[in-house]
Amino acid sequence: MADTLVDSNGTVTSSDWKDRFYHVDQILDRPGPRTDPSFLAGDEVKDFLRNNCKILVIGAGGLGCEILANLALTGFKDIHVIDMDTIDISNLNRQFLFRQADVGKPKAIVAAQFVMNRVPGVKVTPYYGRIQDKDDAYYLQFNLVICGLDSVEARRWINATLVNLVDPENPESLKPLIDGGTEGFKGQARVILPTVSSCYECSLDMLNKPTAFPICTIANTPRLPEHCIEWASVLEWPRVHGDKKLDTDDPEHIGWLLSVASARAKEFKIEGVTWSLTQGVVKNVIPAIASTNAIVAASCCNEAFKIATSSAAYLNNYFMLIGTDGVYSYTFEHEKRDHCPVCGGESLEISISREWTVERLIEMLTESQNIQIKRPSLSTPLKSIYFQSPPQLEEATRPNLEKKVSELVPDGGEVTVTASTLPFSLSLLITYT
Amino acid sequence: MTITATRSLEAQDIEGATTALQSQPDSKTRRYDRQLRLWAATGQAALESSRVLVISGSATSTAILKNLVLPGIGHFTILDHESVSPADAGNNFFLEGFKSIGKPRADEAVRLLSELNEGVEGKADHRTLESILESEPQWLTSFTLIIAHNLHSSILARLSSLLWKDHTYPALMVVRSTGFLAEFFIQFHEHTIIESHSETAPSLRIDKPFPALKEHALSLDYATMDPTEHGHIPYVVILVRALEEWKQSHEGNLPKTYEEKKQFKKGVLALKVKSDEENFDEAEAQSYRCFTETKVPSEISTLFDDSAISPESLRQDSSPFFHLLSALKEFTIQSESHTLPLTSTLPDMKSDTKSYIHLQRLYKIRAEEEKQAFTSYLRASVDDELIDSFVKNAHGLQVLRGRQWGAFDADKEALATALLTSPKELMIHLSLSALSAVNSRGVKPTLEALREEVQAIIGEGVVPPDELEHNIGELVRAPTAELPNMAAFLGGMIAQEAIKMITKQYIPVKGYCVIDLIETWTGVVGA
Ligand SMILES: [Zn+2]
């Protein structure tokens, strides 16, 4: 590695000053007792990490800020980051690359700039936009992908995209995906080797089911402050405002919901409607703190470092942490699911009643813990059953909703399920009871 | 700035909808929104009045502080007399790369950490710990909490003995890390927790209904009731009534055997007049609440034997917690039901608004009455909000008693037990202890030196498990490596526990928490 260089004006320009990597190099210069024999200690591995390895970070929020800082300090120098959000004041209690003056600016751009200023010689390339904007060629350029997202949909998308990228003829096409997530004092980090180990879709049933309030409770028998808030946002907002979209980040909109919900609460003698609760319910706010994010992001980056350098064994394959009562953690191997629609390859066999309508089947697909497909479209190899979009096709297939599945699909027949939010299709084998 | 506007978070069931703020909260409340949902205004106030001392400006120390400055502790001091080395500049995010080389490490770190939160006061102190221990040890006791990273064994021992002298002195968090291995330990005498955020819900006392509830349940006439109303009777009411009837025909006993329980559930379902009455399905599913007598949970009754509330030790100047605990004990003895005071928190259930709100009101009135009774047993004046919180959280109270740092290593019996129950965890702890001891003596950390040191701790003739070689091998590989990822991981872990200690909410870890970032796991030993 080069020593500090001095340019013609006499200012220090080089980034790799002597002993810059004093700490990390202790690991990279020699193997440990648990290191894989394939580890190439010394200059070769350092050169790969610092000059050749290209890593993608998805999300520049609570986890993303931490991930970017850790990767930069560890020696990754070609880092890309994608995020579609802008900075909100409520991010500042944990997203430490942002300041009050940055509120409203794109997270990816501000975070990239901050890390480049703080850690000399690191290149962070931001993209302010959606992961879905990018094609396969884009994702193929990276050696590793780290995901710090709070959206299940986005994770399912990137997971399926990376599984689809795998070409058995080309080992380079397998991009390890490291995924982290947190909620309050709890979090998890995992390593996914697409097609080899359990993928994000394989573990969909581990997600907590979101609280959903039945519409009849909201409309007729409210009991909790949450019911009054749902009434204001789900029923009253569209009734009063028509097509105007509710913006849960707009304080005026929240203020309106709060006053409508408060009035209803008062009418029913329900206590506890507050600004904080209103915002919490309509935005589905998840508590978040710097410390949990730090733990999860650090373990994601540590796995990235170990995978990129082979300097030590890596996580196989799931680390779960609960910090509410002492420090409880559980490291285990999550198993692949045979019928995983993304990496399983086999069709999912489902057995339903001959009386089931298409609508009932769609409801089941939406609610089932290991399927969870919002707004699915259905077809057989020969014909369309129901399509959510475009509008003409939706209208044309709508009459099928009331028909029995058994009238449209033979026993043992195949149904393909797709959704616009997911880059994969689920194949169902239908049998009748 | 004050934080009164955030009171609504915890107090939301007290304040009525009519007092809800109609305008957006102030900018400070918005900034802290995601954490106030975890520890509310009380926790935030505790954080804001805390003063934390961190010994050394290492990458780990600044990573810890980052996670304490962001949520808003009141004050921090970094005690560090070193200047920034080229190695520091490469692994610490709170230094500005080569620009910081040669400058005082504490100054640089304080400057960059302070940018994270204007509401936090930061101070750099260039003295050595040795000089403070010599000339001004009392200064150390002015902090809420002291965190020490990779301190040499000998000076650490002096610091820990000083802080152990008096139970009012600050807790000490000892952090050690090298390469992929680390551990930390919290030294404290006593730590009491009211808001443990226990995941078990307090009892609804269906088996011991208070008079108004019992009367309400028995007054309903299912036969003449409007069918809609019948389909909306809350399960609590259904079960109270069904159980009262059961007791009358079973000599006052609850359903005990498997057969009886089945029969009871069948009886509940038989009350349906229409098959789609979901409230009765819910009542059947909740029937387990009728099968065990509501008593003081054993974790709480154990606390009643605590020496701190014995008549000899409880004095006017005892902490409010122990006065409250003593009153709680008295309440459970004197009250008719011999239970904890009722709480007004009613879960949601299938019901119409009117029946639910009526039931909620009954619980609220009774809870208030029991709180008054509870308060009458208090022998000292305690803040009313604290009483409310205590009663509401009585089922999750915690009294933790800790040990001095290092006591475990000297306890041969405890070591022998840990060798059997948690060898993996113990070997990480002992390897790190050995490294620190070897470094303290200025000896080069070789496999032999570390092996010998571990053997000396566990005792001659005791055979260490295989994991020892793995761990000391890693330490010899990277004896002084402070990896950025480990620093960040510890930064999260230590800050998390510090927040729990300062807010007295949630439950901090006891014993040595060890971390292996090769296979990525954590464990606890020596609790
Ligand atoms: Zn899968």
Side-chain angles (χ1 to χ4, degrees):
Chain A
M1 291 297 121
D3 283 359
T4 305
L5 295 178
V6 177
D7 74 7
S8 52
N9 299 321
T11 48
V12 179
T13 57
S14 170
S15 50
D16 282 352
W17 60 91
K18 186 171 183 301
D19 277 346
R20 172 177 186 168
F21 293 111
Y22 166 84
H23 294 279
V24 171
D25 282 354
Q26 293 182 41
I27 295 297
L28 298 183
D29 281 335
R30 59 196 82 90
R34 288 182 278 173
T35 307
D36 191 86
S38 69
F39 174 55
L40 300 165
D43 289 343
E44 200 167 330
V45 66
K46 292 181 201 169
D47 181 58
F48 173 73
L49 177 65
R50 292 165 199 163
N51 299 318
N52 292 311
C53 190
K54 204 167 182 178
I55 188 163
L56 173 65
V57 178
I58 300 179
L63 287 169
C65 284
E66 306 269 351
I67 290 170
L68 291 171
N70 295 340
L71 291 178
L73 289 177
T74 314
F76 288 90
K77 289 198 177 164
D78 190 357
I79 306 170
H80 290 239
V81 59
I82 303 187
D83 197 300
M84 60 184 279
D85 276 345
T86 54
I87 299 160
D88 180 76
I89 185 171
S90 64
N91 301 146
L92 301 181
N93 80 324
R94 61 195 186 284
Q95 301 180 15
F96 70 109
L97 306 179
F98 311 141
R99 304 288 174 266
Q100 184 73 45
D102 298 322
V103 168
K105 295 181 191 164
K107 289 184 177 178
I109 294 170
V110 177
Q113 197 55 52
F114 193 104
V115 171
M116 287 195 284
N117 285 343
R118 182 59 60 85
V119 187
V122 171
K123 191 170 161 233
V124 185
T125 312
Y127 174 67
Y128 170 42
R130 291 155 30 92
I131 50 172
Q132 292 87 350
D133 299 344
K134 300 293 188 183
D135 59 10
D136 284 0
Y138 174 83
Y139 290 107
L140 270 169
Q141 67 181 309
F142 300 104
N143 299 93
L144 282 165
V145 179
I146 304 192
C147 214
L149 287 164
D150 54 9
S151 148
V152 173
E153 288 303 313
R155 278 177 164 134
R156 289 174 79 176
W157 190 90
I158 189 65
N159 174 67
T161 300
L162 294 184
V163 172
N164 290 343
L165 274 190
V166 178
D167 168 6
E169 306 290 303
N170 174 16
E172 294 285 300
S173 65
L174 192 151
K175 312 291 178 193
L177 169 63
I178 301 160
D179 179 69
T182 69
E183 176 173 353
F185 286 105
K186 301 171 187 175
Q188 82 283 336
R190 65 191 292 191
V191 172
I192 295 169
L193 299 178
T195 70
V196 178
S197 66
S198 147
C199 81
Y200 187 74
E201 199 74 20
C202 287
S203 60
L204 215 53
D205 56 352
M206 285 171 74
L207 293 175
N208 288 331
K209 236 185 163 172
T211 7
F213 303 109
I215 204 85
C216 60
T217 300
I218 297 167
N220 306 319
T221 57
R223 297 174 295 270
L224 305 181
E226 287 87 345
H227 298 153
C228 302
I229 295 163
E230 285 278 298
W231 182 78
S233 64
V234 177
L235 299 175
E236 283 299 279
W237 181 275
R239 192 183 66 78
V240 174
H241 297 279
D243 284 341
K244 188 167 135 195
K245 209 173 166 317
L246 174 67
D247 176 3
T248 56
D249 287 322
D250 184 337
E252 282 192 20
H253 290 193
I254 299 284
W256 187 89
L257 294 178
L258 174 60
S259 61
V260 171
S262 302
R264 183 166 173 87
K266 199 175 170 193
E267 181 192 337
F268 285 97
K269 299 191 173 65
I270 295 167
E271 296 180 358
V273 175
T274 60
W275 179 284
S276 162
L277 188 69
T278 304
Q279 199 188 35
V281 170
V282 299
K283 277 185 69 140
N284 186 26
V285 171
I286 294 164
I289 45 175
S291 45
T292 317
N293 284 335
I295 299 168
V296 168
S299 67
C300 288
C301 293
N302 186 52
E303 299 313 321
F305 172 75
K306 290 184 293 180
I307 293 171
T309 61
S310 305
S311 57
Y314 53 84
L315 170 64
N316 181 27
N317 50 27
Y318 205 115
F319 170 69
M320 186 192 273
L321 176 86
I322 300 175
T324 45
D325 184 352
V327 175
Y328 172 81
S329 80
Y330 181 46
T331 301
F332 64 100
E333 183 177 352
H334 189 272
E335 305 261 345
K336 270 183 85 158
R337 191 153 60 98
D338 291 341
H339 298 290
C340 173
V342 171
C343 73
E346 290 175 42
S347 308
L348 182 62
E349 287 174 38
I350 60 163
S351 182
I352 62 172
S353 155
R354 283 194 175 274
E355 300 305 308
W356 272 31
T357 60
V358 171
E359 193 164 21
R360 178 73 189 86
L361 177 63
I362 289 178
E363 194 183 297
M364 187 277 274
L365 293 171
T366 316
E367 286 176 357
S368 162
Q369 267 296 101
N370 55 20
I371 302 178
Q372 296 185 38
I373 296 186
K374 281 183 206 146
R375 299 171 43 81
S377 294
L378 274 54
S379 59
T380 70
L382 300 172
K383 54 179 181 280
S384 312
I385 299 178
Y386 178 69
F387 275 83
Q388 304 270 1
S389 63
Q392 302 90 316
L393 196 52
E394 195 279 333
E395 209 182 323
T397 53
R398 199 185 301 155
N400 282 346
L401 284 176
E402 288 171 17
K403 289 190 189 156
K404 289 176 184 166
V405 180
S406 54
E407 291 170 23
L408 302 166
V409 184
D411 198 13
E414 192 185 325
V415 170
T416 304
V417 183
T418 55
S420 61
T421 50
L422 297 170
F424 61 87
S425 58
L426 172 66
S427 167
L428 299 178
L429 275 184
I430 308 269
T431 53
Y432 298 105
T433 50
Chain B
M1 274 194 284
T2 59
I3 49 154
T4 42
T6 61
R7 267 196 67 235
S8 52
L9 281 164
E10 267 290 293
Q12 56 189 217
D13 54 350
I14 301 161
E15 289 179 347
T18 45
T19 62
L21 295 166
Q22 299 297 309
S23 63
Q24 159 159 248
D26 63 35
S27 70
K28 185 177 175 189
T29 307
R30 282 185 286 146
R31 180 188 179 107
Y32 290 145
D33 178 77
R34 300 302 186 266
Q35 68 199 45
L36 288 169
R37 292 172 193 274
L38 290 173
W39 52 67
T42 49
Q44 191 61 31
L47 277 180
E48 288 176 19
S49 55
S50 69
R51 295 168 48 80
V52 177
L53 172 66
V54 177
I55 301 175
S56 105
S58 68
T60 306
S61 299
T62 58
I64 297 167
L65 275 171
K66 160 187 148 280
N67 300 322
L68 292 173
V69 170
L70 285 165
I73 52 168
H75 167 98
F76 71 93
T77 293
I78 295 180
L79 183 68
D80 191 341
H81 62 280
E82 309 259 0
S83 338
V84 175
S85 71
D88 293 334
N91 82 334
N92 191 331
F93 200 76
F94 294 92
L95 297 175
E96 288 187 293
F98 55 78
K99 282 188 273 178
S100 291
I101 296 175
K103 296 181 184 169
R105 192 161 72 163
D107 293 8
E108 289 290 274
V110 168
R111 176 171 65 82
L112 296 171
L113 283 164
S114 297
E115 285 177 4
L116 301 177
N117 193 341
E118 285 172 6
V120 180
E121 178 188 72
K123 201 167 168 287
D125 194 315
H126 303 140
R127 289 176 294 170
T128 61
L129 180 57
E130 284 85 347
S131 69
I132 293 168
L133 287 170
E134 291 295 328
S135 60
E136 214 187 330
Q138 286 308 310
W139 178 77
L140 293 165
T141 64
S142 69
F143 291 92
T144 318
L145 183 69
I146 298 177
I147 301 170
H149 176 237
N150 277 2
L151 217 52
H152 271 296
S153 294
S154 48
I155 186 111
L156 180 58
R158 286 173 64 194
L159 177 66
S160 114
S161 325
L162 169 76
L163 296 175
W164 192 250
K165 271 186 198 153
D166 190 299
H167 76 277
T168 62
Y169 287 173
L172 171 66
M173 298 182 77
V174 178
V175 188
R176 277 173 166 167
S177 65
T178 305
F180 290 116
L181 304 180
E183 69 166 10
F184 67 91
F185 175 87
I186 316 175
Q187 167 178 303
F188 61 91
H189 278 276
E190 180 182 282
H191 183 73
T192 58
I193 309 164
I194 297 175
E195 294 171 73
S196 65
H197 298 262
S198 155
E199 292 194 0
T200 47
S203 169
L204 294 171
R205 259 198 243 159
I206 288 173
D207 60 312
K208 294 179 175 174
F210 52 91
L213 175 61
K214 185 169 161 184
E215 195 182 311
H216 171 60
L218 296 179
S219 72
L220 297 179
D221 186 356
Y222 288 180
T224 62
M225 203 177 260
D226 169 81
T228 319
E229 214 179 313
H230 191 266
H232 286 92
I233 309 168
Y235 78 75
V236 170
V237 176
I238 297 172
L239 290 180
V240 165
R241 185 187 173 111
L243 191 60
E244 284 309 309
E245 284 168 0
W246 174 278
K247 285 196 273 190
Q248 280 188 3
S249 55
H250 292 82
E251 293 155 358
N253 293 320
L254 305 177
K256 270 192 299 239
T257 63
Y258 176 74
E259 276 309 316
E260 284 180 342
K261 291 175 184 173
K262 226 167 84 177
Q263 202 190 332
F264 180 81
K265 287 185 180 182
K266 231 173 113 185
V268 169
L269 281 184
L271 294 168
K272 278 189 180 184
V273 290
K274 274 174 25 201
S275 65
D276 64 350
E277 288 180 314
E278 291 178 325
N279 56 330
F280 286 95
D281 292 328
E282 193 174 52
E284 189 216 9
Q286 297 287 333
S287 292
Y288 70 89
R289 294 177 186 269
C290 303
F291 302 155
T292 38
E293 186 193 341
T294 301
K295 286 192 212 155
V296 177
S298 60
E299 303 82 39
I300 305 301
S301 54
T302 310
L303 301 183
F304 294 159
D305 301 328
D306 197 285
S307 60
I309 61 168
S310 68
E312 311 83 67
S313 357
L314 193 68
R315 296 194 315 244
Q316 272 308 304
D317 62 351
S318 297
S319 81
F321 180 91
F322 289 113
H323 280 286
L324 288 160
L325 186 62
S326 168
L328 186 66
K329 179 181 183 179
E330 196 58 24
F331 176 90
T332 60
I333 296 169
Q334 302 296 341
S335 80
E336 215 180 306
S337 57
H338 303 299
T339 59
L340 298 174
L342 191 71
T343 66
S344 60
T345 355
L346 196 62
D348 190 25
M349 56 194 73
K350 308 246 186 260
S351 166
D352 57 295
T353 308
K354 213 178 117 220
S355 313
Y356 181 81
I357 300 294
H358 180 67
L359 185 64
Q360 198 177 44
R361 230 187 124 58
L362 294 180
Y363 270 81
K364 212 165 261 187
I365 293 169
R366 179 65 184 189
E368 185 56 34
E369 287 166 6
E370 295 197 4
K371 192 190 98 182
Q372 292 309 328
F374 164 82
T375 310
S376 72
Y377 300 118
L378 267 172
R379 295 288 164 260
S381 140
V382 179
D383 182 66
D384 207 43
E385 274 182 44
L386 192 61
I387 298 177
D388 280 338
S389 172
F390 188 88
V391 171
K392 193 174 154 192
N393 296 292
H395 61 290
L397 301 172
Q398 295 270 342
V399 177
L400 307 184
R401 295 238 156 69
R403 297 177 89 178
Q404 188 182 355
W405 172 81
F408 174 60
D409 286 13
D411 183 344
K412 289 278 182 293
E413 206 177 310
L415 287 171
T417 310
L419 208 50
L420 293 173
T421 57
S422 21
K424 265 171 76 178
E425 292 82 356
L426 182 66
M427 285 306 119
I428 290 187
H429 165 64
L430 293 183
S431 304
L432 288 165
S433 286
L435 179 68
S436 180
V438 165
N439 284 339
S440 258
R441 290 202 305 269
V443 176
K444 191 175 184 302
T446 59
L447 289 175
E448 295 69 38
L450 295 174
R451 214 176 275 138
E452 237 170 69
E453 194 65 40
V454 170
Q455 199 69 63
I457 303 173
I458 56 175
E460 295 309 322
V462 180
V463 182
D466 296 344
E467 284 90 350
L468 176 64
E469 291 301 310
H470 286 166
N471 295 325
I472 59 175
E474 276 298 331
L475 297 184
V476 170
R477 174 196 196 180
T480 55
E482 194 181 351
L483 302 179
N485 292 325
M486 178 56 99
F489 192 94
L490 285 169
M493 285 276 184
I494 311 303
Q496 195 104 298
E497 297 307 301
I499 289 168
K500 295 189 217 167
M501 291 296 292
I502 294 168
T503 59
K504 296 196 165 192
Q505 293 188 35
Y506 302 93
I507 307 169
V509 69
K510 267 185 78 180
Y512 293 80
C513 179
V514 299
I515 295 149
D516 176 346
L517 283 191
I518 292 181
E519 284 155 52
T520 309
W521 57 270
T522 71
V524 175
V525 68

